[in-house]
Amino acid sequence: MERRVAEQLSSWLGPLGLEAHAFKVGWYNAVLQPAFHLPYPDDTLAFVVLSTPSMFDKALKPFVNKERLKIIRDPVDQCVSHHLSRVKEKFPDQRVDVMFDYELLPSRKPKFLAQTAAHVAGAAYYYQRKDVRLDPWGKKKIFGVCIHPKYGGWFAIRALLLFPDIQVPFLEQPAPVDCVSTEEKRIELLEQFNFHWQDGRYRDIIEVKERYSEEQKAYFATPPAERFRLLGLSQ
């Protein structure tokens, strides 16, 4: 069942520049405190959805052109939401719950921890302070970052798709690719991400097969309120 759902998602999302990676809710809950647990049985089938560099041209720009006369608040969020709602419609006999990376619980906690989900699904390796043996940062707060084996840091984690009626007790967990494997490179990655994230150098910590186009870099480097102009939209 899991394989059939995964193949269907790949055939629908792949042409849009989106990837879906399967995991069991139990894998995710096992590495987090109870306050962050997903409220489903451990064997529940879930997918983490990533946007790759090609999503900008394959999904976002066509979506904006089609929706040009409607009110658009956040083009990327609404584009992803639009396509995932269409995916839900393709499973008329299944319950499909969707959680987006920007959604918050009433407690103001995020509905899910995106980088943890990507790691347990084997989609991208979540490099954290604990992955460095000789920690050079003392009392500084150091945030972790996911690196994709193909896209480096040129991707984003957008959503979860959960299938509460599908239990997959025998699903095998894939290990994420440890593509930043030396201590020196991990320190460099976390330094760049935490203290120089604006220049985007951390995204190229490994040799990547595809990165954002210059147009896409300019879009995401522009303050959100001014991005509408770049897409030819009025705010």
Side-chain angles (χ1 to χ4, degrees), residues 12 14 39 44-45 66-67 70 93 113 115 141 177 179 185-186 195 200 205 219 222 226-227 232 235:
W12 295 326
T44 303
L45 177 63
K66 187 180 175 193
E67 304 293 315
K70 299 180 183 176
D93 300 325
L113 299 184
Q115 300 199 104
K141 188 167 182 62
V177 178
C179 48
K185 275 290 185 184
R186 290 179 180 184
F195 308 120
I205 195 69
Y219 177 83
T222 300
E226 297 169 27
R227 292 175 181 172
Q235 192 167 345

Side-chain angles (χ1 to χ4, degrees), residues 109-157:
K109 287 187 174 75
K111 279 196 172 181
F112 74 98
L113 299 184
Q115 300 199 104
T116 299
H119 186 93
V120 300
Y125 200 107
Y126 185 21
Y127 291 97
Q128 301 176 73
R129 187 175 196 154
K130 66 182 182 182
D131 295 307
V132 173
R133 290 188 301 277
L134 299 173
D135 186 323
W137 298 294
K139 293 185 177 180
K140 290 180 182 174
K141 188 167 182 62
I142 299 295
F143 294 96
V145 60
C146 272
I147 296 295
H148 191 287
K150 183 176 178 182
Y151 307 116
W154 301 100
F155 78 104
I157 304 157

Side-chain angles (χ1 to χ4, degrees), residues 79-93:
C79 171
V80 173
S81 175
H82 166 76
H83 287 296
L84 293 188
S85 67
R86 293 186 67 185
V87 164
K88 282 183 66 171
E89 292 166 8
K90 293 177 185 288
F91 293 99
D93 300 325

Side-chain angles (χ1 to χ4, degrees), residues 54-210:
S54 65
M55 187 274 281
F56 193 79
D57 286 319
K58 290 180 175 178
L60 180 65
K61 293 205 290 192
F63 171 77
V64 166
N65 285 332
K66 187 180 175 193
E67 304 293 315
R68 190 169 294 280
L69 298 179
K70 299 180 183 176
I71 295 173
I72 295 181
R73 296 176 303 280
D74 184 292
V76 172
D77 289 348
Q78 284 177 253
C79 171
V80 173
S81 175
H82 166 76
H83 287 296
L84 293 188
S85 67
R86 293 186 67 185
V87 164
K88 282 183 66 171
E89 292 166 8
K90 293 177 185 288
F91 293 99
D93 300 325
Q94 295 287 349
R95 177 180 154 200
V96 184
D97 294 344
V98 185
M99 295 181 185
F100 295 101
D101 65 302
Y102 51 83
E103 289 187 299
L104 300 175
L105 295 166
S107 64
R108 307 303 294 168
K109 287 187 174 75
K111 279 196 172 181
F112 74 98
L113 299 184
Q115 300 199 104
T116 299
H119 186 93
V120 300
Y125 200 107
Y126 185 21
Y127 291 97
Q128 301 176 73
R129 187 175 196 154
K130 66 182 182 182
D131 295 307
V132 173
R133 290 188 301 277
L134 299 173
D135 186 323
W137 298 294
K139 293 185 177 180
K140 290 180 182 174
K141 188 167 182 62
I142 299 295
F143 294 96
V145 60
C146 272
I147 296 295
H148 191 287
K150 183 176 178 182
Y151 307 116
W154 301 100
F155 78 104
I157 304 157
R158 300 294 180 186
L160 294 188
L161 292 172
L162 296 119
F163 292 78
D165 300 329
I166 302 179
Q167 302 296 300
V168 284
F170 302 112
L171 187 64
E172 293 188 12
Q173 184 170 11
V177 178
D178 181 5
C179 48
V180 187
S181 54
T182 69
E183 177 93 347
E184 182 183 32
K185 275 290 185 184
R186 290 179 180 184
I187 291 172
E188 182 184 343
L189 169 65
L190 293 174
E191 286 270 342
Q192 288 181 359
F193 179 69
N194 280 272
F195 308 120
H196 309 285
W197 62 269
Q198 296 97 328
D199 63 25
R201 281 182 298 150
Y202 79 89
R203 299 179 188 272
D204 286 312
I205 195 69
I206 62 168
E207 191 171 326
V208 300
K209 293 186 170 59
E210 192 180 347

